[in-house]
Amino acid sequence: MPGPENSAENPALQEPADALAAVAALRRLADQLEDAAVEQAMRAGWSWPQVAEALGVTRQAVHKKHAKRLIAAGVTLRRRGDDRD
Amino acid sequence: MTAIDTYLHAIVVRAVREAREDASATVEAQHLLLGIADEPEATVREVLTSAGLDHRALREALGREFEHSLQTVGVSAAAHRLPRPSPACEQPKLGASAKLAMERGFASVSRKRDLRPAHLLLGVLQAQLGTVPRALALAGVDQAALLAQLRQELETTRDGGVARARGAAG
């Protein structure tokens, strides 16, 4: 195995197929991680604006993507103006 | 509704379930393949069994492909310890790789009534790039040989009345 420190010398990534497959796998992992992390935050009482700001996306985007799933899962969601900090 | 509509519906329903299992927003070729793996059609069974590919073996191969692809950039899927998220409510939509596999499968017959589940498998196995070929290679499966075997099986059973016996010609 070559030295793992320098990715430019990593032969695995010299293959475009490996690099492209890594992109697909990372997207899938990021989606899974986002679903899990947003759910964990909302269960812990975070608000939509907080989650959105932490993710670096708009509140509308995060709400649209996750609200239905979390409501169906029975997660108690904070309403706007419900300050518990 | 023709017989292939019934088969196709059953395979797609299973593929959707597999996509949900993966928490995937789209049904991809690998989900279609998993759906096909539970298909009772003789040709499909024979070809997949000869390569040791049942549903479980395919799931393992796909899991290995995921881990392997992440490892090439130094990432481990097991690195985060968050609880498994609740499932999505929306029905996963047909993704690009599944559409391509279906198009290839449909293109392998001249008449729709000749289409059988094995042709869908043919469509999936024709992919040379993407998750399915990588997973099969990691599982030590000779995809080209599998494809050749499937083509041959389809050729020998084409006029053998398999489809007619199942009422597909009606």
Side-chain angles (χ1 to χ4, degrees), chain A residues 10 12-13 17-18 21-22 25-26 28-29 32-33 35-37 39-40 43 68-69 72-73, chain B residues 22-23 65-66 68-70 72-73 75-77 80 82-83 85-90 129 134:
Chain A
N10 183 347
L13 282 181
D18 279 334
L26 284 169
R28 191 177 147 204
L29 182 65
Q32 288 176 357
L33 191 55
D35 283 356
E39 182 161 346
Q40 188 192 41
R43 283 188 191 276
K68 245 190 200 172
R69 179 175 64 89
Chain B
D22 276 354
E65 191 281 330
F66 184 49
H68 177 82
S69 293
L70 290 173
T72 60
V73 285
V75 175
S76 164
H80 78 81
L82 290 174
S86 302
C89 303
E90 287 83 10
L129 293 168
R134 288 174 64 84

Side-chain angles (χ1 to χ4, degrees), chain B residues 3-76:
Chain B
I4 187 58
D5 289 327
T6 312
Y7 297 145
L8 197 57
H9 179 72
I11 289 170
V12 169
V13 164
R14 289 197 295 264
V16 165
R17 202 169 55 213
E18 299 293 343
R20 276 185 182 282
E21 181 71 22
D22 276 354
S24 172
T26 49
V27 176
E28 298 298 343
Q30 60 269 31
H31 304 125
L32 214 49
L33 180 57
L34 288 163
I36 294 168
D38 286 337
E39 170 59 42
E41 193 207 38
T43 311
V44 168
R45 294 248 59 83
E46 198 170 318
V47 171
L48 289 182
T49 307
S50 73
L53 292 173
D54 58 8
H55 188 276
R56 192 175 152 194
L58 280 169
R59 264 278 168 218
E60 280 175 13
L62 288 164
R64 264 206 305 281
E65 191 281 330
F66 184 49
E67 293 285 348
H68 177 82
S69 293
L70 290 173
Q71 274 168 17
T72 60
V73 285
V75 175
S76 164

Side-chain angles (χ1 to χ4, degrees), chain A residues 43-58:
Chain A
R43 283 188 191 276
W46 285 46
S47 67
W48 288 118
Q50 286 172 326
V51 171
E53 193 172 348
L55 279 175
V57 299
T58 65

